[in-house]
Amino acid sequence: MRLFSIFFPFIFGNEICKKKLIKGEDCVQDFHSLGQFTTAFPWSYQADAFTRDPKAHRFPCTVDSPTSHNVKMRIFNHNHQLVANHVTFSINSDSVHLMNDVHWHRNSTTVILVHGWNSRVIEEDEELSNQGKLFVDEMLKQKANVNIVLLDWSEKANDLKYWLPATNTQVVGALLGEFIKNLIDAEMNTIGDFHLAGHSLGAHICGYAAKWLKTRTDGKLPRISALDPAGPMFQFLDDPALNVC
């Protein structure tokens, strides 16, 4: 019975949100250790460009279960370079155990790149995108003993209904935060080792990862590079009540 109670919201969460949306209600999903996620403001809403009313338009957003995102990571370092071996795995609670397979550089700079909306870093044929190749090449040239992680959430990011991946940046951010915390707990890294870089919606994923970590660790991520962060549905996050980081 306990097993069923754990997975029930992961399986049926999307349907619960859909029923609430039909009634015009906001949805809050509890994904246990990852936390609670909501479709309340600013999610599901788009501001009016002229009146600046932040709740002028509402979209049918849902918070999708962590497992449905199929988030993948590919790792590179000087032991596993772009032209040689690489390791791809789905992000989950067991991911950290794979670090020994790639000769992870312990307590070294770890740079994580997160792509944005309607994009990917791992192509459908499992090859790296041009963006991914350039990033890995440059990082390997600039730093010794660096760990490079490419996070791919393209299964949800490549939805033309922009408001759906935008709402779910909070879930992907929590998954990334959990991955980083697992590395810290396993003494593979300290929080000061990490540099997150995100483009478009990926910038917000990095922000949510930082927020998730801030409430669950003693430290604070030292650096986030937000590359052309997405605007729609995020315009009013400068409100202190909605502050991401």
Side-chain angles (χ1 to χ4, degrees), residues 28-39:
V28 177
Q29 290 286 74
D30 188 345
F31 294 134
H32 302 284
S33 62
L34 277 185
Q36 291 187 335
F37 306 92
T38 180
T39 61

Side-chain angles (χ1 to χ4, degrees), residues 26-88:
D26 294 323
C27 176
V28 177
Q29 290 286 74
D30 188 345
F31 294 134
H32 302 284
S33 62
L34 277 185
Q36 291 187 335
F37 306 92
T38 180
T39 61
F41 181 80
W43 313 116
S44 302
Y45 295 91
Q46 174 60 41
D48 188 279
F50 298 101
T51 66
R52 298 282 292 170
D53 177 3
K55 296 185 178 181
H57 309 288
R58 187 166 189 183
F59 297 103
C61 291
T62 58
V63 179
D64 297 325
S65 71
T67 52
S68 73
H69 285 75
N70 193 27
V71 177
K72 296 180 180 179
M73 287 188 168
R74 186 165 290 183
I75 295 172
F76 299 90
N77 54 37
H78 288 89
N79 296 315
H80 286 261
Q81 294 188 24
L82 186 61
V83 295
N85 297 319
H86 52 253
V87 175
T88 304

Side-chain angles (χ1 to χ4, degrees), residues 25 80 104 144 188 209 217:
E25 300 174 356
H80 286 261
W104 187 263
M188 307 289 281
T217 63

Side-chain angles (χ1 to χ4, degrees), residues 18 56 81 161 171 200 219 225 235:
K18 286 179 180 177
Q81 294 188 24
K161 298 173 183 175
V171 180
S200 178
S225 297
Q235 302 100 314

Side-chain angles (χ1 to χ4, degrees), residues 139-172:
M139 287 296 102
L140 289 175
K141 289 176 185 176
Q142 292 179 23
K143 295 179 180 289
N145 298 327
V146 63
N147 300 303
I148 305 162
V149 181
L150 304 183
L151 184 149
D152 188 286
W153 62 293
S154 56
E155 188 157 319
K156 295 293 183 182
N158 285 286
D159 192 325
L160 294 180
K161 298 173 183 175
Y162 168 85
W163 56 89
L164 294 176
T167 302
N168 280 281
T169 54
Q170 52 187 323
V171 180
V172 181

Side-chain angles (χ1 to χ4, degrees), residues 39-134:
T39 61
F41 181 80
W43 313 116
S44 302
Y45 295 91
Q46 174 60 41
D48 188 279
F50 298 101
T51 66
R52 298 282 292 170
D53 177 3
K55 296 185 178 181
H57 309 288
R58 187 166 189 183
F59 297 103
C61 291
T62 58
V63 179
D64 297 325
S65 71
T67 52
S68 73
H69 285 75
N70 193 27
V71 177
K72 296 180 180 179
M73 287 188 168
R74 186 165 290 183
I75 295 172
F76 299 90
N77 54 37
H78 288 89
N79 296 315
H80 286 261
Q81 294 188 24
L82 186 61
V83 295
N85 297 319
H86 52 253
V87 175
T88 304
F89 59 90
S90 296
I91 184 169
N92 55 51
S93 59
D94 295 324
S95 301
V96 70
H97 300 305
L98 298 172
M99 297 306 101
N100 289 326
D101 295 337
V102 295
H103 306 288
W104 187 263
H105 295 305
R106 289 176 176 265
N107 299 318
S108 295
T109 299
T110 298
V111 186
I112 302 176
L113 175 68
V114 187
H115 66 83
W117 177 52
N118 201 26
S119 180
R120 62 178 71 241
V121 288
I122 303 175
E123 300 288 358
E124 292 181 354
D125 60 3
E126 295 301 315
E127 293 295 321
L128 287 189
S129 67
N130 289 333
Q131 178 190 35
K133 290 177 182 177
L134 287 171

